[in-house]
Amino acid sequence: MQSGWNYQHCSFIQQHLTAFEVWLQYGSAIKEPPQQLPIVLQVLLSQAHRLRALHLLSNFLDLGPWAVYLALSVGMFPYIQKLLQSPSPDLKPILIFIWTRIMSVDYQNAQQELIKDRGYNYFTQMLTFQPRPSQPHIQGNPLVIESPAVNNNVTFADQKAMSAFVLAMFVRDHKQGQKLAFSIDVVKICISYIETSESPLLRQWSALLISGMVKEHLEAVVIIMRSGAFAKLLTLANDPIPEIRASIVDALSNFILLCTEGDELAN
């Protein structure tokens, strides 16, 4: 390197992230599109700044459906879909939160995105993950995510509840999604959450996930019936929380199918 030259890092990315953060604090109330949003999405490709960009994006999406639609309109899907291939544990709570926001607004397009590269497995793995006995602290300690919707405090159970929500929306009126997401192991883990979890949201969305997987899905109904999981689910319909009872009843009702006469499997 020629002497006398001083190399300086370009501050372009940091400046735009800071400007976006300032907009979130002071300009978001007017609901005008922030100029920095496309840059924030591009920054998701940068490993050095990815975590900060995801935090800011999650806060932006938390402003409401208009913010979600705006982010989708500038091409958010390819960026966050690609991040589902990342093994980084630091990204999990933020990515799950972001996909939860998207699924609550535009689940039909998101269903197709999650099929790509089997992205739905990201949420299945989170839902079914069980900490080792040497890691009991994970269940109780909060995993921090800077989002007003969750008061900067997303617990392990919250992440599982959001994963159940994403999967429930993935299979909603979606035959291909039902076939891809269904497994008896997922059903059994959902039933165990309904029975034992202290999180009402996790219990509710576990029941609604089962409901979505079996709706007009005869093969899934037969597998669950033969495994004995249906009988177990039936015993849980007396949950003290009305919303959870309703979700369980909704799941049970989807086991009652209108079968054609002579269909031995359906009968």
Side-chain angles (χ1 to χ4, degrees), residues 37-38 41-42 44 68-80:
L37 181 58
L41 295 179
Q42 289 288 334
L44 295 179
V68 177
Y69 282 124
L70 182 60
L72 293 175
S73 71
V74 295
M76 177 173 63
F77 266 135
Y79 299 97
I80 59 170

Side-chain angles (χ1 to χ4, degrees), residues 248-265:
I248 296 173
V249 170
D250 182 70
L252 294 173
S253 69
N254 284 331
F255 284 87
I256 304 173
L257 303 175
L258 297 177
C259 305
T260 57
E261 186 176 355
D263 190 335
E264 181 180 354
L265 181 62

Side-chain angles (χ1 to χ4, degrees), residues 167-185:
L167 290 171
M169 300 305 289
F170 175 64
V171 303
R172 182 178 179 181
D173 301 323
H174 187 208
K175 295 294 185 183
Q176 186 179 6
Q178 286 178 310
K179 293 179 180 180
L180 292 172
F182 174 77
S183 79
I184 191 60
D185 291 333

Side-chain angles (χ1 to χ4, degrees), residues 12-29 33-41 43 49 51-61 63 146-148 152:
F12 176 84
I13 291 178
Q14 293 95 324
Q15 288 176 356
H16 276 75
L17 290 179
T18 300
F20 188 65
E21 187 172 11
V22 171
W23 181 91
L24 286 170
Q25 292 177 350
Y26 302 106
S28 58
Q35 297 178 356
Q36 301 82 13
L37 181 58
I39 301 298
V40 173
L41 295 179
V43 173
H49 303 283
L51 191 57
R52 184 186 178 192
L54 279 173
H55 278 302
L56 295 174
L57 181 60
S58 69
N59 282 319
F60 176 70
L61 298 181
L63 296 176
E146 296 176 3
S147 173
N152 297 329

